[in-house]
Amino acid sequence: MVNFQGGTIRTRDDLERFESEMTLDERLPERSILDVFKASAALYPTSTAITMLMTGAQDERPRQLNYDQLLGMIHSAANVFSTLGGPAPGVAYMLPSLIETYATLWGAETAGYAVPINFLLQTESIAELIKASEAKILVALGPHPQLDIWERALELRKQIPGLILIRVSPPGTPAEEGIIDLGTALAEQPDDHLIFGEPRGGSDVAAYFHTGGTTGVPKLVAHTHRSQLVSAFGGAALCGYTSEDVMTATLPLFHVAGTIVAGLSAFMTGVELVVMSPSGLRNPAIVEGFWRLVAQHKVTLVGGVPTALGAVLQVPVGNNDISALRTGLTGAALLPPAVGARFKEVTGCHLHEILGMTESSGLVSIDPLSSVGSIGSVGWALPYTQVDILRLNEDGSLGAPCATDEIGVIVIQGDHITPGYRDPKHNEGVIEAGRLISGDLGYKDAQGQIYVAGRSKDLIIRSGHNIDPTMIENAMATHPSVALAAAVGMPDAYAGELPVCFVELLPDADLCVEDLHQYAQSMIDERPAWPKLIQIVDAIPLTSVGKIFKPSLRCEISKQKVLDLLQNELEIADARVEAVAGGPRGMRVTVTISKDHRASLSKLETTLAEFLFEARVQIG
């Protein structure tokens, strides 16, 4: 069984001692994902593994599953998939967060491999993902009054010959010809053993997660059983999870954060997950009742992306007793300082940041949850892994390790790194000689803690959703009147960034911004990637070799954003704003206000703290 002995990890010395006392293999003898659930069922058979809230209503009686029952469901699901799909089948799923989703994910990995799908993507993109992964089975939510998942699943079956369709629906839902009901199929299989022999494990592929833009050939990242186990073990160790913990589960199970640090890591240690409705914090009722539910279920760990946590922090705690809460954790996007400060103010607890990547099987580093917490840091690398900050040379190659506080490229090594993408050509420049070149810029302080300072890949991260700007640019460039397009992230207090697009038109083109918005929406599959703002400019800035120079565009849109905020929200019309690229947070914005607005200084500083850039306010 997994061995976490060695004391709580709070400091770098604790981490080094933890690594020196035992080898990784001694601490982590499990070979397969199923081994984790077997061990947890042996240790905590009657302890609650999952509490499933459907509505969050005050009088709701949630569905609960203990660890012994969860293991039984995983056995049954694996047997279903093996029976239907043969040896090592690929099992794709389009499901919100349900108990059946957990059983599907871990059952698929036990029998073959899982292909988690973001059901908010366009049908065409999902079809490409399923084809590229060669999944034989699709598990999808049945007919639903608000979600069109089932209708799209039926369309996918038409597009992909031989695709086996399994429906997840409430008991009593009328049968459909040619459709397999998951509940019925589970009941027909044994839940105390596997009928097909040994489970998948070791270097076997456990899952393919999609990442980046999904236009063209999908980028599918391979996870092995070993990579997920090492990542989950590191997450559990640095988070200091125990079987006494109760954790909010608000992240979707098509995302590595929801499946690893808020999933497998928790299950390794007997944590109770409170699934806050199928749609998590996208459910307004859950947001409104969040603190009541935290109190009701005696939650000890609150987790979520910064934007979602920012929303629940606007809801008063009121008379709800949240004294059981010991800390919070967040990731998927950089944490605005104001959200961290507000969390401390509301709960009395620190909000710890996590750095993760799909290519690292979910996790890179964690600000240890048992420590006092570090402002702005994503903590230390997982145990038994290595994170280096390397200099970025002028030719784009990587150089020597950076000095303390020197910004460079974050590079990761360890058994949790993916063996590669499904399509090997995507490995170039990302997976090299067993190391992961993250594309993130960062630095280490004197204690070795990691800080993220920006992204060398120019990704736009909107509420934890990675948007490849090339996808937007390529779509816009197909318009017959567009000469050049450049997409960048515009700072946003809620989402972190929103996609905007600068467009240079061909000479004599007669086109308005509204026409461009309509064109973008017709050409870009991912709704979150639709540009929030499109600006027609005379010329897009280029480097000496003809590449688009995006730092100046980011600075320009940031300057516009702050000027708009000053004039329309704070009624300061005569301020000067300067935005420059660089610094520890990737951009520095300096606002100069006149003496007449001295009284607005504090409010302005508070407002600018909501953004991810480094802000300075001065009077002059």
Side-chain angles (χ1 to χ4, degrees), residues 187-244:
E188 293 172 350
Q189 294 291 342
D191 64 1
D192 59 349
H193 69 279
L194 299 177
I195 62 174
F196 53 86
E198 291 298 310
R200 301 265 287 176
S203 61
D204 292 334
V205 171
Y208 287 107
F209 282 82
H210 60 80
T211 187
T214 52
T215 54
V217 179
K219 294 176 68 174
L220 286 165
V221 180
H223 287 189
T224 66
H225 283 258
R226 175 68 173 175
S227 73
Q228 285 192 347
L229 288 169
V230 171
S231 185
F233 169 80
L238 286 180
C239 289
Y241 291 156
T242 76
S243 59
E244 302 300 313

Side-chain angles (χ1 to χ4, degrees), residues 14 129 140 191 269 277 306 315 319 360 398 405 429 551 563 580-581 601 615:
D14 292 337
L129 289 168
D191 64 1
T269 49
S277 86
V315 178
N319 296 323
S360 65
L398 298 178
D405 295 328
L563 282 171
V580 294
L601 181 62

Side-chain angles (χ1 to χ4, degrees), residues 434-516:
R435 66 179 187 173
L436 170 60
I437 302 170
S438 71
D440 288 324
L441 298 175
Y443 61 95
K444 289 184 180 180
D445 65 13
Q447 287 72 46
Q449 292 190 105
I450 303 164
Y451 296 75
V452 178
R455 293 173 304 283
S456 62
K457 289 184 177 179
D458 293 328
L459 280 177
I460 301 166
I461 301 184
R462 177 179 185 172
S463 298
H465 181 90
N466 288 354
I467 299 170
D468 185 350
T470 306
M471 173 174 55
I472 301 172
E473 294 160 358
N474 290 345
M476 299 306 295
T478 62
H479 194 288
S481 296
V482 171
L484 198 59
V488 298
M490 177 177 68
D492 185 76
Y494 176 73
E497 290 180 319
L498 292 173
V500 300
C501 191
F502 292 87
V503 173
E504 179 181 337
L505 299 179
L506 292 169
D508 302 322
D510 183 18
L511 202 64
C512 68
V513 169
E514 182 56 33
D515 292 334
L516 290 170

Side-chain angles (χ1 to χ4, degrees), residues 37 63 107 111 113 263 450 559:
F37 292 96
R63 179 184 173 194
Y113 58 89
I450 303 164
K559 179 179 176 179

Side-chain angles (χ1 to χ4, degrees), residues 23 40 42 90 101 136 243 352 362 372 386 418 470 509 517 539 564 573:
T23 66
S40 293
T101 314
K136 295 181 178 180
S243 59
H352 298 258
V372 296
Q386 180 178 340
T418 175
T470 306
H517 275 291
D564 181 72

